[in-house]
C-alpha cells in the first residue's frame, strides 16, 4: 500500500523525496523537491538531500517546500519530521493549511484578543490557554510576514 | 436508502484509506524510537501499568436508527462487559459516543457515565481528540487504571463484530491488545476494500505489514527521545480512536445497507402478494357480475 523505501544508494541523490501527511489525507506523496524547511521545537531546520537520519518534533510554524524556484508554504500546528538515510523525509502534521488561505486581519485580531486575555487572566488554566493562543497567533503572524 | 448507504460506505472507506499514511508513519517513528530506547527505562505516563481498580469503557454507537441490530449488538456487549467487571469487583465508568448509546445510558441512571459525545457522519481528528482528551485526563490523573474501547469492527458487508480493545495503558511498542490479552503488532494492519465481484458489492480484507526498515545507527534525535515519545503517544492514541470511529461508521453504514436492502425486498414481495390478491378479487367480482347478467338474460329468454 505504501511502497517500501528504496535502499540507501551509494552516491548522494540529487532530490529529496517528501511525504507530507495529515491524519485525514496525504498532502504530498513522494514529491521530489530540493529542500524542505520545518519548524522544529529547537528552531527552523532545513532538510536537503543526503541529510543525516533525524527525528524531530515540530512546533506551530511555517513549513516551506522548495522546488527549483517554486516555494510552497504551509502553516502547521504541530507534528513530527522523520528523515531517513536515503533522502526520504516523512513529515507528519496534525493540521496544516496553505499560507494563502490564512487571513492576516483575523490573525491580528486573534493575537490582540489573546494578549488581552493573557493580561487579564486570573487562574492558571486561563493563563495557560491565553498563552497558547498568543504563541500560535504570533507564530502565524511571523509566518505570514517572514 | 440502500444505494445512499452504499455510496457512504465508499466514502467511509476512503476516509480510512486516507488516514492510513499518517498512522503508518507514526508507527514507524514509534518503532525506531523503541529500537533506540531498548536499554533505557521509559517513563511515560501513558504506558504506566497499574493494578486495576477502575476501568473506563468508551462505547461507540451510531447516531441514527434503521441499521438493523447494529446498535443493539454493541450495547449488549457493553452490558456484558459491565457485568464481568462487576463480578471481578472492579469499578467502572462509561464514556458514550453516539446518540443511540447516549439515550440508552440516559435511561439507565444506575450506570455512571462520564461524558456524552455525539458521533458524526465523518469522524475527524477533532472528534477523536475530544475523546482522547477525556480518556487521557482520566488515566493520567489515576482516576481510572485501564481504558477499553468498545466499537464495531468491520468484517464484511453483512457481518460486523463488536470488539473490545485495550486503549490505555499503551504498550511502548504500540501493540494493540484486546481484553483476552491477544496482542496485534502495531505494524500489522488490516484494512478493507469495497470492490465488486461478479457484479455484486463485496468487501475484501487485507493484512498489510508496514515495512519496518533497518534503522540507521546514526539516527539523530533533535530532542530527547523520551520527550519525543511523550509527544508521540498522545498522537498515536488519537489515531487509534479515529480508526475505531471510522470502522464503527463503516459497519453502521453496511448494517444500514443490509437492513434497507432487506426492507426493500420485503416491501416488493408484499406489493406482489397484495397485487395478486387484489387482482384475484377483481376478477372474481367481474366474473360474478357477468354470471349475474348471463343468468338474468337466460331467465328473460
Amino acid at each position: 500500500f505504501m511502497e517500501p523505501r528504496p535502499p540507501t544508494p551509494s552516491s548522494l541523490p540529487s532530490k529529496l523525496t517528501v511525504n507530507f501527511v495529515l491524519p485525514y489525507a496525504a498532502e504530498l506523496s513522494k514529491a521530489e523537491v530540493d529542500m524542505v524547511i520545518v519548524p522544529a521545537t529547537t528552531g527552523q531546520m532545513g532538510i536537503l538531500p543526503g541529510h543525516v537520519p533525524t527525528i524531530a518534533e515540530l512546533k506551530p510554524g511555517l513549513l516551506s517546500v522548495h522546488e527549483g524556484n517554486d516555494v510552497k508554504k504551509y502553516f502547521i500546528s504541530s507534528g513530527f519530521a522523520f528523515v531517513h538515510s536515503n533522502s526520504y523525509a516523512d513529515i507528519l502534521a496534525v493540521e496544516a493549511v496553505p499560507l494563502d488561505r490564512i487571513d492576516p486581519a483575523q490573525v491580528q485580531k486573534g493575537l490582540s484578543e489573546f494578549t488581552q486575555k493573557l493580561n487579564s487572566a486570573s487562574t492558571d488554566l486561563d493563563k495557560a490557554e491565553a498563552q497558547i493562543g498568543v504563541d500560535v497567533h504570533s507564530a502565524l503572524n511571523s509566518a505570514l510576514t517572514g | 436508502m440502500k444505494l445512499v448507504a452504499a455510496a457512504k460506505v465508499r466514502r467511509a472507506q476512503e476516509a480510512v484509506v486516507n488516514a492510513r499514511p499518517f498512522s503508518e508513519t507514526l508507527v514507524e517513528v514509534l518503532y525506531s524510537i523503541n529500537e533506540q530506547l531498548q536499554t533505557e527505562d521509559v517513563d511515560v505516563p501513558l504506558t504506566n501499568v497499574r493494578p486495576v481498580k477502575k476501568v473506563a469503557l468508551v462505547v461507540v454507537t451510531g447516531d441514527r436508527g434503521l441499521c438493523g441490530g447494529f446498535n443493539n449488538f454493541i450495547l449488549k456487549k457493553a452490558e456484558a462487559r459491565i457485568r464481568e467487571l462487576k463480578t471481578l469487583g472492579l469499578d467502572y465508568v462509561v464514556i458514550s459516543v453516539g446518540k443511540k448509546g447516549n439515550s440508552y445510558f440516559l435511561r439507565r441512571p444506575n450506570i455512571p457515565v462520564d461524558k456524552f459525545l455525539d458521533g458524526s457522519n465523518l469522524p475527524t481528528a477533532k472528534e477523536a481528540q475530544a475523546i482522547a482528551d477525556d480518556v487521557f485526563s482520566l488515566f493520567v490523573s489515576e482516576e481510572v487504571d485501564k481504558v477499553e474501547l468498545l466499537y464495531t469492527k468491520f468484517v464484511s458487508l453483512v457481518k460486523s463484530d463488536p470488539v473490545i480493545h485495550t486503549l490505555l495503558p499503551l504498550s511502548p511498542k504500540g501493540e494493540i491488545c484486546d481484553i483476552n490479552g491477544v496482542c496485534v503488532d502495531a505494524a500489522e494492519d488490516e484494512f478493507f476494500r469495497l470492490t465488486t465481484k461478479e457484479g455484486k458489492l463485496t468487501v475484501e480484507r487485507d493484512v498489510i505489514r508496514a515495512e519496518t526498515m533497518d534503522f540507521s545507527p546514526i539516527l539523530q534525535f533533535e530532542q530527547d527521545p523520551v520527550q519525543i515519545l511523550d509527544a508521540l503517544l498522545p498522537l498515536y492514541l488519537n489515531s487509534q480512536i479515529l480508526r475505531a470511529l471510522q470502522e464503527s461508521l463503516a459497519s453502521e453504514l453496511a448494517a444500514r445497507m443490509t437492513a434497507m436492502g432487506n426492507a426493500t425486498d420485503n416491501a416488493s414481495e408484499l406489493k406482489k402478494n397484495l397485487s395478486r390478491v387484489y387482482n384475484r378479487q377483481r376478477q372474481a367480482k367481474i366474473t360474478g357480475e357477468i354470471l349475474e347478467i348471463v343468468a338474468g338474460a337466460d331467465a328473460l329468454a
Side-chain angles (χ1 to χ4, degrees):
Chain A
F1 185 85
M2 249 176 87
E3 289 146 23
R5 279 185 292 277
T8 318
S10 45
S11 65
L12 221 59
S14 59
K15 290 279 205 200
L16 184 69
T17 318
V18 172
N19 280 329
F20 180 24
V21 287
L22 301 168
Y24 49 83
E27 186 74 34
L28 289 173
S29 188
K30 289 193 175 13
E32 302 253 331
V33 300
D34 294 320
M35 177 171 77
V36 173
I37 304 184
V38 298
T41 46
T42 46
Q44 295 277 26
M45 190 170 96
I47 304 174
L48 288 154
H51 195 283
V52 67
T54 312
I55 297 183
E57 188 186 335
L58 307 176
K59 65 169 185 222
L62 188 64
L63 172 87
S64 45
V65 180
H66 297 251
E67 168 69 44
N69 286 327
D70 216 15
V71 179
K72 264 193 284 215
K73 294 193 184 164
Y74 299 89
F75 185 81
I76 63 172
S77 68
S78 62
F80 288 89
F82 194 19
V83 187
H84 302 277
S85 48
N86 42 16
S87 294
Y88 261 71
D90 289 323
I91 304 177
L92 291 97
V94 177
E95 188 62 75
V97 123
L99 217 54
D100 45 26
R101 297 238 302 262
I102 305 179
D103 180 11
Q106 279 273 23
V107 174
Q108 291 293 20
K109 202 175 82 153
L111 183 60
S112 48
E113 212 181 287
F114 275 105
T115 328
Q116 205 186 28
K117 266 196 208 154
L118 183 61
N119 290 333
S120 62
S122 45
T123 66
D124 271 340
L125 180 65
D126 286 341
K127 269 207 200 103
E129 284 183 358
Q131 184 67 53
I132 293 172
V134 168
D135 283 342
V136 172
H137 280 84
S138 37
L140 268 167
N141 212 3
S142 47
L144 283 171
T145 51
Chain B
M1 276 204 73
K2 175 178 176 181
L3 296 174
V4 169
K8 288 193 183 163
V9 173
R10 159 132 279 162
R11 244 198 300 157
Q13 175 210 324
E14 268 169 30
V16 174
V17 164
N18 282 342
R20 195 165 299 277
F22 190 83
S23 52
E24 268 182 4
T25 323
L26 216 56
V27 167
E28 274 188 51
V29 180
L30 203 61
Y31 260 53
S32 51
I33 293 186
N34 276 314
E35 294 268 323
Q36 303 284 330
L37 289 179
Q38 257 173 27
T39 47
E40 286 179 42
D41 224 350
V42 173
D43 181 28
V44 180
L46 284 180
T47 59
N48 269 342
V49 181
R50 294 192 289 265
V52 181
K53 288 186 294 299
K54 191 164 182 193
V55 177
L57 291 168
V58 182
V59 183
V60 183
T61 51
D63 266 352
R64 297 173 310 187
L66 295 181
C67 44
F70 173 77
N71 289 312
N72 243 355
F73 286 153
I74 199 95
L75 290 168
K76 260 199 294 217
K77 190 117 191 172
E79 285 279 348
R81 181 68 185 151
I82 289 176
R83 265 198 305 275
E84 259 176 41
L85 291 174
K86 266 207 201 117
T87 45
L88 285 171
L90 296 170
D91 203 4
Y92 58 89
V93 73
V94 168
I95 299 173
S96 169
V97 182
K99 288 207 187 88
K100 286 285 167 182
N102 290 351
S103 52
Y104 180 87
F105 287 115
L106 271 169
R107 285 197 301 263
R108 284 163 181 72
N110 58 318
I111 300 179
V113 180
D114 187 62
K115 201 165 192 178
F116 292 104
L117 295 157
D118 275 340
S120 69
N121 276 333
L122 203 63
T124 61
K126 207 167 171 187
E127 277 101 28
Q129 191 62 46
I131 304 172
D133 282 342
D134 197 34
V135 154
F136 186 87
S137 58
L138 281 175
F139 187 80
V140 170
S141 66
E142 307 216 355
E143 260 182 63
V144 299
D145 310 301
K146 191 171 192 225
V147 179
E148 290 177 356
L149 186 62
L150 268 94
Y151 67 101
T152 329
K153 209 168 161 73
F154 187 80
V155 179
S156 78
L157 277 179
V158 292
K159 187 171 189 324
S160 48
D161 222 0
V163 291
I164 309 181
H165 273 176
T166 305
L167 202 60
L168 291 174
L170 283 173
S171 81
K173 295 202 193 302
E175 283 162 347
I176 306 165
C177 297
D178 72 16
I179 40 165
N180 297 323
V182 177
C183 290
V184 175
D185 211 345
E188 222 169 70
D189 208 2
E190 257 192 299
F191 78 114
F192 54 90
R193 257 176 321 145
L194 191 69
T195 54
T196 49
K197 227 186 232 170
E198 299 154 2
K200 277 196 283 199
L201 286 171
T202 53
V203 172
E204 280 171 12
R205 271 221 127 167
D206 274 323
V207 179
I208 294 273
R209 206 198 153 85
E211 270 286 326
T212 44
M213 284 241 326
D214 294 321
F215 292 101
S216 171
I218 54 166
L219 191 65
Q220 290 249 354
F221 287 89
E222 279 294 318
Q223 296 90 16
D224 191 29
V226 179
Q227 200 187 6
I228 295 189
L229 200 64
D230 219 1
L232 203 67
L233 287 176
L235 216 57
Y236 185 67
L237 182 73
N238 192 321
S239 73
Q240 290 296 311
I241 295 178
L242 186 62
R243 182 63 187 290
L245 289 175
Q246 285 170 336
E247 283 224 14
S248 261
L249 180 71
S251 320
E252 182 194 334
L253 290 169
R256 188 165 293 132
M257 243 178 82
T258 327
M260 288 297 100
N262 287 341
T264 313
D265 290 340
N266 289 345
S268 305
E269 208 180 301
L270 197 64
K271 174 179 156 205
K272 234 189 319 186
N273 286 340
L274 286 174
S275 307
R276 225 176 270 144
V277 170
Y278 172 76
N279 283 329
R280 227 173 274 147
Q281 285 280 31
R282 192 173 56 93
Q283 303 275 36
K285 195 137 199 294
I286 293 172
T287 315
E289 293 201 8
I290 294 175
L291 283 173
E292 265 177 55
I293 296 170
V294 166
D298 261 349
L300 287 173

